[in-house]
Protein backbone atom coordinates (compact mmCIF):
# COMPACT_ATOMS: atom_id res chain seq x y z
CA UNK A 1 0.00 0.00 0.00
CA UNK A 2 1.36 3.42 -0.99
CA UNK A 3 0.31 7.05 -0.86
CA UNK A 4 0.42 9.25 -3.96
CA UNK A 5 -0.52 12.91 -3.49
CA UNK A 6 -2.59 12.04 -0.43
CA UNK A 7 -4.46 9.16 -2.09
CA UNK A 8 -3.94 5.46 -1.41
CA UNK A 9 -2.69 3.95 -4.64
CA UNK A 10 -4.93 1.17 -5.96
CA UNK A 11 -8.07 1.71 -3.89
CA UNK A 12 -11.43 2.92 -5.13
CA UNK A 13 -11.63 6.73 -5.33
CA UNK A 14 -14.91 8.58 -5.05
CA UNK A 15 -13.85 12.24 -4.73
CA UNK A 16 -16.04 14.27 -2.41
CA UNK A 17 -16.65 17.99 -2.82
CA UNK A 18 -17.00 18.21 0.98
CA UNK A 19 -13.48 19.12 2.04
CA UNK A 20 -11.16 22.09 2.22
CA UNK A 21 -7.60 23.04 3.08
CA UNK A 22 -6.28 22.40 6.57
CA UNK A 23 -5.09 25.46 8.51
CA UNK A 24 -1.58 26.68 7.64
CA UNK A 25 1.19 24.22 8.51
CA UNK A 26 -1.29 21.72 10.00
CA UNK A 27 -0.59 18.04 9.43
CA UNK A 28 -2.76 15.19 10.65
CA UNK A 29 -1.91 14.00 14.14
CA UNK A 30 -5.14 12.21 15.12
CA UNK A 31 -6.99 9.21 13.68
CA UNK A 32 -10.74 9.19 14.31
CA UNK A 33 -12.66 5.95 13.81
CA UNK A 34 -16.36 6.17 12.93
CA UNK A 35 -19.11 3.88 11.74
CA UNK A 36 -21.85 4.42 9.19
CA UNK A 37 -24.62 2.44 7.55
CA UNK A 38 -27.26 3.79 5.20
CA UNK A 39 -30.09 3.34 5.77
CA UNK A 40 -29.20 2.64 9.42
CA UNK A 41 -28.41 -1.02 9.94
CA UNK A 42 -28.27 -1.82 6.21
CA UNK A 43 -25.03 -2.59 4.41
CA UNK A 44 -23.94 -2.34 0.79
CA UNK A 45 -25.42 -0.13 -1.88
CA UNK A 46 -24.47 3.30 -3.17
CA UNK A 47 -25.83 5.39 -0.30
CA UNK A 48 -22.65 6.19 1.65
CA UNK A 49 -20.89 7.30 -1.54
CA UNK A 50 -23.95 9.41 -2.39
CA UNK A 51 -23.98 11.06 1.05
CA UNK A 52 -20.27 11.91 0.90
CA UNK A 53 -20.56 13.29 -2.64
CA UNK A 54 -23.70 15.33 -2.00
CA UNK A 55 -25.87 13.25 -4.34
CA UNK A 56 -28.05 11.36 -1.84
CA UNK A 57 -31.64 11.15 -3.11
CA UNK A 58 -33.89 12.25 -0.22
CA UNK A 59 -36.72 10.17 -1.68
CA UNK A 60 -34.82 6.88 -1.94
CA UNK A 61 -35.49 6.05 1.74
CA UNK A 62 -37.51 7.87 4.42
CA UNK A 63 -34.34 8.27 6.55
CA UNK A 64 -32.53 10.09 3.76
CA UNK A 65 -34.93 13.06 3.81
CA UNK A 66 -33.36 14.17 7.09
CA UNK A 67 -29.72 13.84 6.01
CA UNK A 68 -29.57 14.52 2.25
CA UNK A 69 -28.78 18.21 2.86
CA UNK A 70 -25.67 17.45 4.95
CA UNK A 71 -22.26 18.38 3.63
CA UNK A 72 -20.12 15.66 5.19
CA UNK A 73 -17.29 13.37 4.20
CA UNK A 74 -14.63 11.11 5.59
CA UNK A 75 -11.20 10.39 4.24
CA UNK A 76 -12.00 6.69 3.81
CA UNK A 77 -14.70 4.09 4.21
CA UNK A 78 -13.97 0.44 4.87
CA UNK A 79 -16.85 -1.72 3.69
CA UNK A 80 -17.89 -4.99 5.34
CA UNK A 81 -15.83 -7.01 2.82
CA UNK A 82 -12.72 -4.93 3.54
CA UNK A 83 -12.94 -2.77 0.39
CA UNK A 84 -11.38 0.64 0.99
CA UNK A 85 -13.03 3.67 -0.61
CA UNK A 86 -11.26 7.02 -0.39
CA UNK A 87 -13.15 10.32 -0.67
CA UNK A 88 -10.65 13.00 0.38
CA UNK A 89 -6.83 13.08 0.17
CA UNK A 90 -5.28 12.80 3.61
CA UNK A 91 -3.53 16.17 3.52
CA UNK A 92 -6.91 17.89 3.04
CA UNK A 93 -9.56 18.50 5.71
CA UNK A 94 -12.53 16.13 5.41
CA UNK A 95 -15.72 17.09 7.22
CA UNK A 96 -16.19 14.08 9.50
CA UNK A 97 -15.85 15.15 13.13
CA UNK A 98 -18.23 18.10 13.47
CA UNK A 99 -18.16 19.95 16.76
CA UNK A 100 -15.42 18.06 18.56
CA UNK A 101 -12.60 18.23 21.09
CA UNK A 102 -9.54 16.02 21.62
CA UNK A 103 -7.26 16.55 24.62
CA UNK A 104 -8.54 20.11 25.02
CA UNK A 105 -8.16 20.98 21.36
CA UNK A 106 -11.35 21.83 19.46
CA UNK A 107 -12.18 21.52 15.74
CA UNK A 108 -10.73 18.03 15.25
CA UNK A 109 -11.25 18.16 11.47
CA UNK A 110 -8.31 20.57 11.35
CA UNK A 111 -5.80 17.96 12.53
CA UNK A 112 -7.41 14.56 12.06
CA UNK A 113 -8.08 11.84 9.53
CA UNK A 114 -11.51 10.21 9.62
CA UNK A 115 -12.00 6.54 8.75
CA UNK A 116 -15.55 5.17 8.54
CA UNK A 117 -16.28 1.50 9.07
CA UNK A 118 -19.46 0.24 7.44
CA UNK A 119 -21.33 -0.95 10.49
CA UNK A 120 -23.27 -0.08 13.60
CA UNK A 121 -22.37 0.46 17.24
CA UNK A 122 -23.60 -3.00 18.23
CA UNK A 123 -22.88 -5.41 15.36
CA UNK A 124 -19.39 -6.91 15.28
CA UNK A 125 -17.08 -5.55 12.60
CA UNK A 126 -15.64 -8.10 10.18
CA UNK A 127 -12.16 -9.58 10.11
CA UNK A 128 -11.72 -8.04 6.66
CA UNK A 129 -12.52 -4.60 8.08
CA UNK A 130 -9.99 -4.93 10.89
CA UNK A 131 -7.32 -6.10 8.43
CA UNK A 132 -7.98 -3.18 6.07
CA UNK A 133 -8.09 -0.69 8.95
CA UNK A 134 -4.78 -2.00 10.26
CA UNK A 135 -3.17 -1.65 6.80
CA UNK A 136 -4.46 1.90 6.34
CA UNK A 137 -3.40 2.85 9.86
CA UNK A 138 0.12 1.52 9.33
CA UNK A 139 0.36 3.53 6.11
CA UNK A 140 -0.90 6.66 7.83
CA UNK A 141 1.45 6.36 10.80
CA UNK A 142 4.39 6.00 8.39
CA UNK A 143 3.50 9.37 6.89
CA UNK A 144 2.13 11.02 10.04
CA UNK A 145 4.12 9.49 12.95
CA UNK A 146 2.44 11.57 15.68
CA UNK A 147 -0.78 9.73 14.88
CA UNK A 148 0.73 6.56 16.39
CA UNK A 149 -0.09 7.91 19.84
CA UNK A 150 -3.41 9.54 18.94
CA UNK A 151 -6.24 7.24 17.81
CA UNK A 152 -9.76 7.56 19.11
CA UNK A 153 -13.44 7.06 18.37
CA UNK A 154 -15.92 9.68 17.20
CA UNK A 155 -17.75 9.13 20.50
CA UNK A 156 -14.65 10.24 22.41
CA UNK A 157 -14.27 13.57 20.62
CA UNK A 158 -18.01 14.35 20.47
CA UNK A 159 -19.45 12.41 23.44
CA UNK A 160 -22.69 14.35 23.72
CA UNK A 161 -23.53 13.86 20.03
CA UNK A 162 -21.96 10.60 18.85
CA UNK A 163 -21.70 6.97 19.94
CA UNK A 164 -19.60 5.47 17.13
CA UNK A 165 -17.70 3.26 16.57
CA UNK A 166 -19.56 1.86 19.56
CA UNK A 167 -19.02 -1.06 21.93
CA UNK A 168 -18.79 -3.46 18.97
CA UNK A 169 -15.41 -1.99 18.00
CA UNK A 170 -12.60 -4.05 19.52
CA UNK A 171 -9.96 -1.50 20.56
CA UNK A 172 -7.79 -4.18 22.17
CA UNK A 173 -7.71 -6.19 18.94
CA UNK A 174 -7.02 -3.10 16.80
CA UNK A 175 -4.26 -1.69 19.02
CA UNK A 176 -2.77 -5.14 19.57
CA UNK A 177 -2.47 -5.69 15.82
CA UNK A 178 -0.53 -2.42 15.64
CA UNK A 179 1.72 -3.47 18.50
CA UNK A 180 0.22 -0.92 20.91
CA UNK A 181 -1.18 -1.29 24.40
CA UNK A 182 -4.82 -2.36 24.29
CA UNK A 183 -6.37 0.54 26.20
CA UNK A 184 -9.65 1.92 24.94
CA UNK A 185 -9.71 5.68 24.33
CA UNK A 186 -11.66 6.21 27.58
CA UNK A 187 -8.85 4.54 29.57
CA UNK A 188 -6.11 6.80 28.25
Amino acid sequence: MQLQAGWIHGVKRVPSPHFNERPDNETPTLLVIHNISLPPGKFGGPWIDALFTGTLDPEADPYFAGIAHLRVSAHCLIRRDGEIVQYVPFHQRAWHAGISCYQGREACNDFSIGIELEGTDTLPYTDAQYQALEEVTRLLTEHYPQMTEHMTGHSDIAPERKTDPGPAFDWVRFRGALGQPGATPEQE
Side-chain angles (χ1 to χ4, degrees):
M1 204 176 257
Q2 302 176 46
L3 279 187
Q4 294 179 340
W7 295 95
I8 302 173
H9 179 68
V11 304
K12 180 180 177 185
R13 285 188 198 178
V14 180
S16 173
H18 304 153
F19 75 96
N20 58 0
E21 297 290 327
R22 293 184 188 274
D24 289 342
N25 301 315
E26 190 73 63
T27 59
T29 56
L30 173 66
L31 176 64
V32 179
I33 299 172
H34 304 257
N35 76 37
I36 189 170
S37 56
L38 290 178
K42 304 260 166 83
F43 305 132
W47 310 119
I48 298 169
D49 291 353
L51 176 66
F52 290 163
T53 58
T55 60
L56 187 63
D57 178 357
E59 296 180 17
D61 183 274
Y63 181 79
F64 298 167
I67 65 168
H69 69 283
L70 297 176
R71 292 170 31 108
V72 295
S73 62
H75 289 91
C76 291
L77 165 70
I78 300 174
R79 293 198 174 274
R80 302 294 289 177
D81 64 1
E83 178 189 29
I84 300 165
V85 182
Q86 188 170 359
Y87 301 95
V88 175
F90 296 119
H91 62 280
Q92 301 286 345
R93 177 171 44 195
W95 303 341
H96 62 95
I99 298 168
S100 53
C101 183
Y102 178 76
Q103 295 184 345
R105 189 169 177 202
E106 295 186 2
C108 293
N109 285 339
D110 289 352
F111 58 94
S112 68
I113 289 174
I115 306 287
E116 295 275 2
L117 299 174
E118 187 177 34
T120 70
D121 290 3
T122 56
L123 291 174
Y125 298 95
T126 68
D127 289 341
Q129 286 180 297
Y130 282 106
Q131 290 165 359
L133 179 60
E134 292 155 15
E135 285 181 50
V136 171
T137 302
R138 282 189 192 94
L139 179 67
L140 291 172
T141 57
E142 271 179 41
H143 291 270
Y144 308 109
Q146 287 182 304
M147 196 175 288
T148 303
E149 301 297 321
H150 302 281
M151 299 178 194
T152 197
H154 198 191
S155 57
D156 300 303
I157 62 169
E160 295 184 14
R161 295 184 309 108
K162 298 297 180 176
T163 59
D164 59 310
F169 186 74
D170 189 340
W171 285 101
V172 173
R173 174 182 177 168
F174 172 60
R175 291 181 185 277
L178 298 173
Q180 297 180 346
T184 63
E186 299 84 25
Q187 295 170 326
E188 294 176 345

